[in-house]
Amino acid sequence: MRAPLWGNFIYHADNDFLSFAWLYRGALIVHGFYHATQAIEKYFKGLALSIIDPNGDTETVRNNRWLLSHDLVALASRSVAHYPYYGQPDVLSRLRRFAEFDQCARYPWVEQKHGNGFTGADLPLIWDMVLHLRSDIPIKIDDYPLGLFIRGHHHGHPEYQANLSMLNLIGGPLEATRLMFPELNKIVRW
């Protein structure tokens, strides 16, 4: 069975989320937050595509130019009709702030509105957003990186273990993510 097109965004978002934790724990704070923003952006794109094309049969970048956007507020607006949470004023304010994480690593010459004051206080806000997004995406078979590596086996098939060499390679980033977000198992389908 072919995974839906929007699943490509989940795959890359999971890897960005792992990269975020790995870089953050390694004291590469700004670049870590860049990957957090990238994860949120890709989860939003996956969520929006899952709404307009649940089976992943028809939608592409060619017929959806908005998929090229980095505007988190605009991406969130594509899901508000189905998930009002993403239109709440505090969520939109947070998304505007998160956009600065993207800007400072991608375009370092751009003047920052918040002064790049990224701190550990931002971690619960990022976690809340990732938890909502990954939970709202209608993942039926969670063999994306976080699902596969957290469970250690394929979704619904404990007899099919995850690739051990990959588990060894991903161990550092996964442990860093688990240390930052102890409730990490909540975003995985078991």
Side-chain angles (χ1 to χ4, degrees):
M1 175 155 83
R2 181 179 70 81
L5 177 64
W6 47 263
N8 290 329
F9 285 103
I10 310 315
Y11 174 85
H12 290 287
D14 280 1
N15 283 317
D16 276 320
F17 193 58
L18 289 163
S19 297
F20 160 55
W22 189 238
L23 290 167
Y24 184 90
R25 300 280 304 170
L28 296 169
I29 307 297
V30 172
H31 293 87
F33 277 117
Y34 167 77
H35 282 281
T37 301
Q38 288 295 294
I40 291 167
E41 176 184 320
K42 290 169 188 160
Y43 285 132
F44 266 126
K45 289 175 180 179
L47 180 61
L49 277 173
S50 76
I51 292 168
I52 63 174
D53 186 15
N55 296 324
D57 296 329
T58 60
E59 302 303 319
T60 65
V61 173
R62 192 173 300 125
N63 63 347
N64 290 289
R65 302 294 295 170
W66 60 267
L67 286 170
L68 302 175
S69 174
H70 303 297
D71 185 338
L72 296 178
V73 172
L75 291 169
S77 72
R78 297 191 151 279
S79 305
V80 170
H82 288 82
Y83 301 97
Y85 169 81
Y86 302 112
Q88 294 177 7
D90 63 319
V91 171
L92 294 173
S93 174
R94 192 179 320 162
L95 292 174
R96 284 184 199 92
R97 177 153 162 67
F98 291 167
E100 191 173 329
F101 302 154
D102 178 60
Q103 295 292 314
C104 71
R106 189 184 298 244
Y107 310 111
W109 58 85
V110 173
E111 184 177 335
Q112 304 300 310
K113 294 177 186 164
H114 301 288
N116 299 331
F118 312 131
T119 69
D122 293 304
L123 298 180
L125 304 177
I126 290 168
W127 169 248
D128 183 62
M129 187 63 60
V130 169
L131 176 63
H132 272 91
L133 283 163
R134 202 167 189 289
S135 298
D136 288 340
I137 297 168
I139 298 170
K140 291 185 174 113
I141 300 174
D142 192 358
D143 281 346
Y144 299 106
L146 286 173
L148 192 57
F149 296 135
I150 287 171
R151 278 192 320 272
H153 60 80
H154 289 270
H155 189 165
H157 295 281
E159 68 276 15
Y160 299 124
Q161 298 297 308
N163 182 312
L164 287 178
S165 61
M166 282 303 295
L167 281 174
N168 288 335
L169 289 172
I170 204 74
L174 185 59
E175 182 59 25
T177 308
R178 202 180 290 288
L179 287 169
M180 289 173 65
F181 307 108
E183 296 181 322
L184 187 60
N185 289 2
K186 284 185 173 183
I187 63 175
V188 170
R189 273 63 161 196
W190 291 85

